[in-house]
Amino acid sequence: MLRAENIYVRFGGLTAVDNVSLEIADGEIHAIIGPNGAGKSTFFNAVSGINKPSEGKIFFQGEDITGLSQHQVAEKGIGRTFQNIKLFSSMTVLENVLCGSHMNVKSTLFQDMLGTRFQQQEEKELREQCIELLKRVELYDKRNLLSKNLPYGEQRKLEIVRAMATGPKLLMLDEPAAGMNPSETEELKQFIKKINTEGLTILLIEHDVKMVMSLADTITVLDHGAKIAEGSADQVRSDPKVIEAYLGKSYRR
């Protein structure tokens, strides 16, 4: 589904991503791990259109998307969340999800201003789709609450649902379990498994190693911007370079 070839991202004299290549298969959960400053989020930003790669190519379903803007990448079918929660705090839960579905609108500004039958029908259908999403993740009963009043774990889940409302084929999650307690993390893990089973390909960055090891089909490890290992959980956790750079000698499965 996604192929990155020899990606470099440089900021002045700093090379944040150093010749990284990887492939994400359709239907898999692929994780990127590594210490702070390893280049994980910078790589995410290169894929999602926030930063243009200094060198290299990115292909999505065989199409070259290198250097496209954020909204163009989203239109191709790549949705993402961020390390820090970026919900619209003064809007309701349902309104946040409706914002995510906006890019699927086909009515024109003229039709919106006139409130044509097509525009009204489209708005009704998008609303119904967003309500179904909220029902799937058990947030429907809180649809009219302001998003800022949700518990932290549910805010994280809502951000993922808003990204899902764009209709992505690939969903990129940047540290989705950050700040969660063990119970919330386990619930999130089951949620990610569920949406993956329903057909979403997942690429995630995560510092919770136990969660990653029990969730990901493939794990890529970055250190100082470069890829130092890649493979299954068993292959990665037994790799001496990964143990030295990230897991530590005291790591236990």
Side-chain angles (χ1 to χ4, degrees), residues 41-112:
S41 290
T42 305
F43 178 81
F44 254 44
N45 291 343
V47 173
S48 60
I50 295 175
N51 297 326
K52 184 176 180 179
S54 305
E55 290 182 44
K57 293 286 186 180
I58 299 168
F59 298 90
F60 181 64
Q61 295 188 311
E63 180 181 355
D64 187 352
I65 62 167
T66 313
L68 293 186
S69 66
Q70 296 175 62
H71 77 271
Q72 289 172 320
V73 171
E75 287 171 352
K76 296 295 182 184
I78 299 176
R80 74 161 291 178
T81 64
F82 292 84
Q83 228 172 318
N84 300 315
I85 293 175
K86 294 184 180 290
L87 294 172
F88 301 114
S89 60
S90 61
M91 297 172 68
T92 68
V93 168
L94 178 56
E95 287 169 343
N96 267 273
V97 183
L98 283 167
C99 283
S101 70
H102 174 75
M103 61 172 286
N104 300 317
V105 169
K106 295 182 174 60
S107 60
T108 65
L109 177 61
F110 183 69
Q111 289 172 317
D112 290 343

Coordinates of all heavy atoms in Angstrom, one line a residue, residues 41-112:
S41 N 8.5 10.9 13.9 CA 7.4 11.8 13.6 C 7.8 12.6 12.3 O 6.9 13.0 11.5 CB 7.2 12.8 14.7 OG 6.5 12.1 15.8
T42 N 9.1 12.9 12.1 CA 9.6 13.6 10.9 C 9.3 12.7 9.7 O 8.8 13.2 8.6 CB 11.1 13.9 11.0 OG1 11.3 14.6 12.2 CG2 11.5 14.7 9.8
F43 N 9.4 11.4 9.8 CA 9.1 10.5 8.7 C 7.6 10.5 8.4 O 7.2 10.6 7.3 CB 9.6 9.1 9.0 CG 9.2 8.1 7.9 CD1 10.0 8.0 6.8 CD2 8.1 7.3 8.1 CE1 9.6 7.1 5.8 CE2 7.7 6.4 7.1 CZ 8.5 6.3 5.9
F44 N 6.8 10.5 9.5 CA 5.4 10.6 9.4 C 5.0 11.9 8.6 O 4.1 11.9 7.7 CB 4.7 10.7 10.8 CG 4.0 9.4 11.2 CD1 4.6 8.1 10.9 CD2 2.8 9.4 11.8 CE1 3.9 7.0 11.3 CE2 2.1 8.3 12.2 CZ 2.7 7.0 11.9
N45 N 5.6 13.0 9.0 CA 5.3 14.3 8.4 C 5.7 14.3 6.9 O 5.0 15.0 6.1 CB 6.1 15.4 9.1 CG 5.5 15.6 10.5 OD1 4.4 15.2 10.9 ND2 6.3 16.3 11.4
A46 N 6.7 13.6 6.6 CA 7.1 13.5 5.1 C 6.1 12.7 4.3 O 5.7 13.1 3.2 CB 8.5 12.8 5.0
V47 N 5.5 11.7 4.9 CA 4.5 10.9 4.2 C 3.2 11.7 4.1 O 2.6 11.7 3.1 CB 4.2 9.6 5.0 CG1 3.1 8.8 4.3 CG2 5.5 8.7 4.9
S48 N 2.8 12.4 5.2 CA 1.5 13.0 5.2 C 1.5 14.4 4.6 O 0.5 15.1 4.6 CB 1.0 13.1 6.6 OG 1.8 13.8 7.5
G49 N 2.6 14.9 4.1 CA 2.7 16.2 3.4 C 3.0 17.4 4.2 O 3.0 18.5 3.7
I50 N 3.4 17.2 5.5 CA 3.8 18.4 6.3 C 5.2 18.8 5.9 O 5.4 20.0 5.8 CB 3.7 18.0 7.8 CG1 2.2 17.7 8.2 CG2 4.2 19.1 8.7 CD1 2.0 17.3 9.6
N51 N 6.1 17.9 5.8 CA 7.4 18.2 5.3 C 7.7 17.5 4.0 O 7.4 16.3 3.9 CB 8.5 17.7 6.4 CG 8.3 18.4 7.7 OD1 8.0 19.6 7.8 ND2 8.6 17.7 8.8
K52 N 8.3 18.2 3.1 CA 8.7 17.5 1.8 C 10.0 16.9 2.0 O 11.0 17.4 2.5 CB 8.8 18.6 0.7 CG 9.1 18.0 -0.7 CD 9.0 19.1 -1.7 CE 9.3 18.5 -3.1 NZ 9.3 19.5 -4.2
P53 N 10.2 15.6 1.6 CA 11.5 14.9 1.7 C 12.5 15.7 0.9 O 12.3 16.2 -0.2 CB 11.2 13.6 1.0 CG 9.7 13.4 1.1 CD 9.1 14.7 1.0
S54 N 13.7 15.7 1.5 CA 14.9 16.4 0.8 C 15.3 15.5 -0.4 O 15.8 16.0 -1.4 CB 16.0 16.6 1.8 OG 15.6 17.3 2.9
E55 N 15.2 14.2 -0.2 CA 15.5 13.2 -1.2 C 14.6 12.0 -1.1 O 14.1 11.8 0.0 CB 17.0 12.7 -1.2 CG 18.0 13.7 -1.5 CD 19.4 13.1 -1.4 OE1 19.6 12.0 -1.9 OE2 20.3 13.8 -0.8
G56 N 14.5 11.2 -2.1 CA 13.7 10.0 -2.1 C 12.3 10.2 -2.6 O 11.8 11.2 -3.0
K57 N 11.6 9.0 -2.7 CA 10.2 9.0 -3.3 C 9.3 8.2 -2.3 O 9.7 7.3 -1.6 CB 10.3 8.2 -4.6 CG 11.0 9.0 -5.7 CD 10.2 10.2 -6.2 CE 10.9 10.8 -7.4 NZ 10.1 12.0 -7.9
I58 N 8.0 8.7 -2.3 CA 7.0 8.0 -1.6 C 5.9 7.6 -2.5 O 5.3 8.5 -3.3 CB 6.4 8.9 -0.5 CG1 7.5 9.3 0.5 CG2 5.3 8.2 0.3 CD1 7.2 10.4 1.5
F59 N 5.5 6.3 -2.5 CA 4.4 5.8 -3.4 C 3.3 5.3 -2.6 O 3.5 4.6 -1.6 CB 5.0 4.7 -4.3 CG 6.0 5.2 -5.2 CD1 7.4 5.1 -4.9 CD2 5.7 5.7 -6.5 CE1 8.4 5.5 -5.7 CE2 6.8 6.1 -7.4 CZ 8.1 6.0 -7.0
F60 N 2.0 5.7 -2.9 CA 0.9 5.2 -2.3 C 0.0 4.5 -3.3 O -0.4 5.1 -4.2 CB 0.1 6.3 -1.6 CG -1.2 5.9 -0.9 CD1 -1.1 5.0 0.3 CD2 -2.4 6.2 -1.3 CE1 -2.2 4.6 0.9 CE2 -3.5 5.8 -0.6 CZ -3.4 5.0 0.5
Q61 N -0.2 3.2 -3.1 CA -0.9 2.3 -4.0 C -0.4 2.5 -5.5 O -1.1 2.6 -6.4 CB -2.4 2.6 -4.0 CG -3.1 2.3 -2.7 CD -4.6 2.4 -2.7 OE1 -5.1 3.4 -3.1 NE2 -5.2 1.4 -2.2
G62 N 1.0 2.6 -5.5 CA 1.7 2.7 -6.8 C 1.8 4.1 -7.4 O 2.5 4.3 -8.4
E63 N 1.2 5.0 -6.8 CA 1.2 6.4 -7.3 C 2.2 7.3 -6.5 O 2.2 7.2 -5.3 CB -0.2 7.1 -7.1 CG -0.3 8.5 -7.7 CD -1.6 9.1 -7.5 OE1 -2.6 8.4 -7.1 OE2 -1.8 10.3 -7.8
D64 N 3.0 8.0 -7.2 CA 4.0 8.9 -6.6 C 3.3 10.0 -5.9 O 2.7 10.9 -6.6 CB 5.0 9.4 -7.7 CG 6.2 10.2 -7.1 OD1 6.1 10.4 -5.9 OD2 7.1 10.5 -7.8
I65 N 3.4 10.1 -4.6 CA 2.8 11.2 -3.8 C 3.8 12.1 -3.2 O 3.5 12.9 -2.3 CB 1.8 10.7 -2.8 CG1 2.5 9.8 -1.7 CG2 0.7 9.9 -3.4 CD1 1.7 9.6 -0.5
T66 N 5.1 12.0 -3.6 CA 6.2 12.8 -3.0 C 5.9 14.2 -3.1 O 5.7 14.7 -4.2 CB 7.5 12.4 -3.7 OG1 7.7 11.0 -3.8 CG2 8.7 13.0 -2.9
G67 N 5.9 15.0 -2.0 CA 5.8 16.4 -2.0 C 4.4 16.9 -2.1 O 4.2 18.2 -2.2
L68 N 3.4 16.1 -2.2 CA 2.0 16.6 -2.2 C 1.7 17.3 -0.9 O 2.3 17.0 0.2 CB 1.0 15.4 -2.4 CG 1.0 14.7 -3.8 CD1 -0.1 13.7 -3.8 CD2 1.0 15.7 -4.9
S69 N 0.7 18.2 -0.9 CA 0.3 18.9 0.3 C -0.5 18.0 1.2 O -0.9 16.9 0.8 CB -0.5 20.2 -0.1 OG -1.7 19.7 -0.7
Q70 N -0.8 18.5 2.4 CA -1.5 17.7 3.4 C -2.9 17.3 2.9 O -3.3 16.1 3.0 CB -1.6 18.4 4.7 CG -0.2 18.7 5.4 CD -0.4 19.5 6.6 OE1 -1.1 19.1 7.6 NE2 0.2 20.7 6.6
H71 N -3.6 18.2 2.3 CA -5.0 17.9 1.9 C -4.9 17.0 0.7 O -5.8 16.2 0.5 CB -5.8 19.2 1.6 CG -5.5 19.9 0.3 ND1 -4.5 20.8 0.2 CD2 -6.0 19.8 -0.9 CE1 -4.4 21.3 -1.0 NE2 -5.4 20.6 -1.7
Q72 N -3.9 17.1 -0.2 CA -3.8 16.2 -1.3 C -3.5 14.8 -0.9 O -4.1 13.8 -1.4 CB -2.8 16.7 -2.3 CG -3.1 18.0 -3.0 CD -2.0 18.6 -3.8 OE1 -0.8 18.6 -3.4 NE2 -2.2 19.1 -5.0
V73 N -2.7 14.6 0.1 CA -2.4 13.3 0.6 C -3.6 12.7 1.3 O -3.9 11.5 1.1 CB -1.2 13.4 1.7 CG1 -1.1 12.1 2.4 CG2 0.1 13.8 1.0
A74 N -4.4 13.5 2.0 CA -5.6 13.0 2.6 C -6.6 12.6 1.6 O -7.3 11.6 1.7 CB -6.2 14.1 3.5
E75 N -6.7 13.4 0.5 CA -7.6 13.0 -0.6 C -7.2 11.7 -1.3 O -8.1 11.0 -1.8 CB -7.7 14.1 -1.6 CG -8.4 15.4 -1.1 CD -8.3 16.6 -2.1 OE1 -7.5 16.5 -3.0 OE2 -9.0 17.6 -1.8
K76 N -5.9 11.4 -1.3 CA -5.5 10.1 -1.9 C -5.9 8.9 -1.0 O -6.0 7.8 -1.5 CB -4.0 10.1 -2.0 CG -3.4 11.1 -3.0 CD -3.9 10.9 -4.4 CE -3.3 11.9 -5.4 NZ -3.8 11.7 -6.8
G77 N -6.2 9.1 0.3 CA -6.6 8.0 1.2 C -5.7 7.8 2.3 O -5.7 6.6 2.8
I78 N -5.0 8.8 2.8 CA -4.1 8.6 4.0 C -4.6 9.6 5.1 O -4.6 10.8 4.9 CB -2.6 8.9 3.7 CG1 -2.1 8.0 2.6 CG2 -1.8 8.9 4.9 CD1 -0.7 8.3 2.2
G79 N -5.1 9.0 6.2 CA -5.5 9.8 7.3 C -4.5 9.7 8.4 O -3.7 8.7 8.5
R80 N -4.4 10.7 9.3 CA -3.4 10.6 10.4 C -3.9 11.3 11.7 O -4.8 12.2 11.6 CB -2.1 11.2 10.0 CG -2.0 12.7 9.9 CD -0.6 13.2 9.9 NE 0.0 13.0 11.2 CZ 1.3 13.4 11.5 NH1 2.1 13.8 10.5 NH2 1.8 13.2 12.7
T81 N -3.3 11.0 12.8 CA -3.5 11.7 14.1 C -2.1 12.2 14.5 O -1.1 11.9 13.8 CB -4.1 10.8 15.2 OG1 -3.1 9.7 15.5 CG2 -5.4 10.1 14.7
F82 N -2.1 13.0 15.5 CA -0.9 13.7 16.0 C -0.5 13.3 17.4 O -1.4 12.8 18.2 CB -1.0 15.2 15.9 CG -1.1 15.7 14.4 CD1 -2.3 15.7 13.8 CD2 0.0 16.1 13.8 CE1 -2.4 16.1 12.5 CE2 -0.1 16.5 12.4 CZ -1.3 16.5 11.8
Q83 N 0.7 13.5 17.7 CA 1.2 13.2 19.1 C 0.4 13.9 20.1 O 0.0 13.4 21.1 CB 2.7 13.7 19.2 CG 3.6 12.6 19.7 CD 5.1 13.1 19.6 OE1 5.5 13.6 18.6 NE2 5.8 12.9 20.6
N84 N 0.2 15.2 19.9 CA -0.6 16.0 20.8 C -2.1 16.1 20.3 O -2.3 16.3 19.1 CB -0.1 17.4 20.9 CG 1.3 17.4 21.5 OD1 1.7 16.7 22.4 ND2 2.2 18.2 20.9
I85 N -3.0 15.9 21.2 CA -4.4 15.9 20.7 C -4.8 17.2 20.1 O -4.5 18.3 20.6 CB -5.3 15.6 21.9 CG1 -5.1 14.1 22.4 CG2 -6.8 15.8 21.6 CD1 -5.9 13.8 23.7
K86 N -5.4 17.1 18.9 CA -5.7 18.3 18.2 C -7.2 18.4 17.8 O -7.6 18.7 16.7 CB -4.9 18.4 16.9 CG -3.4 18.6 17.1 CD -2.6 18.8 15.8 CE -1.1 19.0 16.1 NZ -0.8 20.3 16.7
L87 N -8.0 18.1 18.8 CA -9.5 18.2 18.6 C -9.9 19.6 18.6 O -9.2 20.5 19.1 CB -10.2 17.4 19.7 CG -10.0 15.9 19.8 CD1 -10.6 15.3 21.0 CD2 -10.6 15.2 18.5
F88 N -11.1 19.9 18.1 CA -11.7 21.2 18.2 C -12.5 21.2 19.5 O -13.6 20.7 19.6 CB -12.7 21.4 17.0 CG -12.0 21.4 15.7 CD1 -12.3 20.4 14.8 CD2 -11.0 22.3 15.3 CE1 -11.6 20.3 13.5 CE2 -10.3 22.2 14.1 CZ -10.7 21.2 13.2
S89 N -11.9 21.7 20.5 CA -12.3 21.6 21.9 C -13.7 22.2 22.2 O -14.4 21.8 23.0 CB -11.3 22.1 22.9 OG -11.1 23.5 22.7
S90 N -14.0 23.3 21.4 CA -15.3 24.0 21.7 C -16.4 23.4 20.8 O -17.5 24.0 20.8 CB -15.1 25.5 21.4 OG -14.7 25.7 20.1
M91 N -16.1 22.3 20.1 CA -17.2 21.7 19.3 C -17.5 20.3 19.9 O -16.8 19.8 20.7 CB -16.6 21.5 17.8 CG -16.3 22.8 17.1 SD -15.5 22.6 15.5 CE -16.8 21.8 14.6
T92 N -18.7 19.9 19.5 CA -19.2 18.6 20.1 C -18.4 17.4 19.5 O -17.7 17.6 18.5 CB -20.7 18.4 19.9 OG1 -20.9 18.2 18.5 CG2 -21.5 19.6 20.4
V93 N -18.6 16.3 20.1 CA -18.0 15.0 19.6 C -18.5 14.8 18.2 O -17.6 14.5 17.3 CB -18.5 13.8 20.5 CG1 -18.1 12.5 19.9 CG2 -17.8 14.0 21.9
L94 N -19.8 14.9 17.9 CA -20.3 14.7 16.6 C -19.8 15.7 15.6 O -19.4 15.4 14.5 CB -21.8 14.7 16.6 CG -22.5 14.5 15.2 CD1 -22.0 13.2 14.5 CD2 -24.0 14.5 15.4
E95 N -19.7 16.9 16.0 CA -19.2 18.0 15.1 C -17.7 17.8 14.7 O -17.3 18.0 13.6 CB -19.4 19.4 15.8 CG -20.8 19.8 15.8 CD -21.0 21.1 16.7 OE1 -20.1 21.3 17.5 OE2 -22.0 21.7 16.6
N96 N -16.9 17.3 15.6 CA -15.5 16.9 15.3 C -15.5 15.9 14.2 O -14.6 16.0 13.3 CB -14.8 16.4 16.6 CG -14.1 17.5 17.3 OD1 -12.9 17.9 17.0 ND2 -14.8 18.2 18.3
V97 N -16.3 14.9 14.3 CA -16.3 13.8 13.3 C -16.8 14.3 12.0 O -16.3 14.0 10.9 CB -17.1 12.6 13.8 CG1 -17.0 11.4 12.8 CG2 -16.6 12.1 15.1
L98 N -17.8 15.2 12.0 CA -18.3 15.8 10.8 C -17.3 16.6 10.1 O -17.2 16.6 8.9 CB -19.6 16.6 11.1 CG -20.9 15.9 11.4 CD1 -21.9 16.8 12.0 CD2 -21.4 15.3 10.1
C99 N -16.4 17.2 10.9 CA -15.3 18.0 10.2 C -14.4 17.1 9.5 O -13.9 17.4 8.4 CB -14.5 18.7 11.3 SG -15.3 20.2 11.9
G100 N -14.2 15.9 10.0 CA -13.3 14.9 9.3 C -13.9 14.5 8.0 O -13.2 14.2 7.0
S101 N -15.3 14.4 8.0 CA -16.0 13.9 6.7 C -16.1 15.0 5.7 O -16.5 14.7 4.6 CB -17.4 13.4 7.1 OG -18.2 14.5 7.5
H102 N -15.7 16.2 6.0 CA -15.9 17.4 5.1 C -15.2 17.2 3.8 O -15.7 17.6 2.7 CB -15.4 18.7 5.8 CG -15.4 19.8 4.9 ND1 -16.6 20.5 4.5 CD2 -14.4 20.5 4.2 CE1 -16.3 21.5 3.7 NE2 -15.0 21.5 3.5
M103 N -14.1 16.5 3.8 CA -13.3 16.4 2.5 C -14.0 15.4 1.5 O -13.7 15.4 0.3 CB -11.9 15.8 2.8 CG -11.8 14.5 3.4 SD -10.1 13.9 3.4 CE -9.9 13.4 1.7
N104 N -15.1 14.7 2.0 CA -15.8 13.8 1.1 C -17.0 14.5 0.5 O -17.7 13.9 -0.3 CB -16.3 12.6 1.9 CG -15.2 11.8 2.5 OD1 -14.2 11.6 1.8 ND2 -15.3 11.4 3.7
V105 N -17.2 15.8 0.8 CA -18.4 16.6 0.3 C -18.2 16.8 -1.2 O -17.1 17.2 -1.6 CB -18.5 17.9 1.1 CG1 -19.5 18.8 0.3 CG2 -19.0 17.7 2.5
K106 N -19.2 16.6 -2.0 CA -19.2 16.8 -3.4 C -20.0 18.0 -3.8 O -19.9 18.5 -5.0 CB -19.7 15.6 -4.1 CG -18.8 14.3 -3.9 CD -19.3 13.1 -4.7 CE -18.4 12.0 -4.6 NZ -18.2 11.5 -3.3
S107 N -20.9 18.5 -3.0 CA -21.7 19.7 -3.3 C -20.8 20.9 -3.4 O -19.8 21.1 -2.7 CB -22.8 19.9 -2.3 OG -22.3 20.1 -1.0
T108 N -21.2 21.8 -4.3 CA -20.4 23.1 -4.5 C -20.8 24.1 -3.5 O -21.8 24.0 -2.8 CB -20.6 23.6 -5.9 OG1 -22.0 24.0 -6.0 CG2 -20.3 22.5 -7.0
L109 N -20.0 25.2 -3.4 CA -20.3 26.3 -2.6 C -21.7 26.9 -2.9 O -22.5 27.3 -2.1 CB -19.2 27.4 -2.7 CG -19.5 28.7 -1.8 CD1 -19.5 28.4 -0.4 CD2 -18.3 29.7 -2.1
F110 N -22.0 27.0 -4.2 CA -23.2 27.5 -4.7 C -24.4 26.7 -4.2 O -25.4 27.2 -3.8 CB -23.2 27.6 -6.3 CG -24.4 28.2 -6.9 CD1 -24.7 29.5 -6.7 CD2 -25.3 27.4 -7.6 CE1 -25.9 30.1 -7.3 CE2 -26.5 27.9 -8.1 CZ -26.7 29.3 -8.0
Q111 N -24.2 25.3 -4.3 CA -25.3 24.4 -3.8 C -25.5 24.6 -2.3 O -26.6 24.5 -1.8 CB -25.0 23.0 -4.2 CG -25.1 22.7 -5.7 CD -24.6 21.4 -6.1 OE1 -23.5 20.9 -5.6 NE2 -25.3 20.7 -6.9
D112 N -24.4 24.7 -1.6 CA -24.4 24.9 -0.1 C -25.2 26.2 0.2 O -26.0 26.2 1.1 CB -23.0 25.0 0.5 CG -22.3 23.6 0.4 OD1 -23.0 22.6 0.2 OD2 -21.1 23.6 0.6

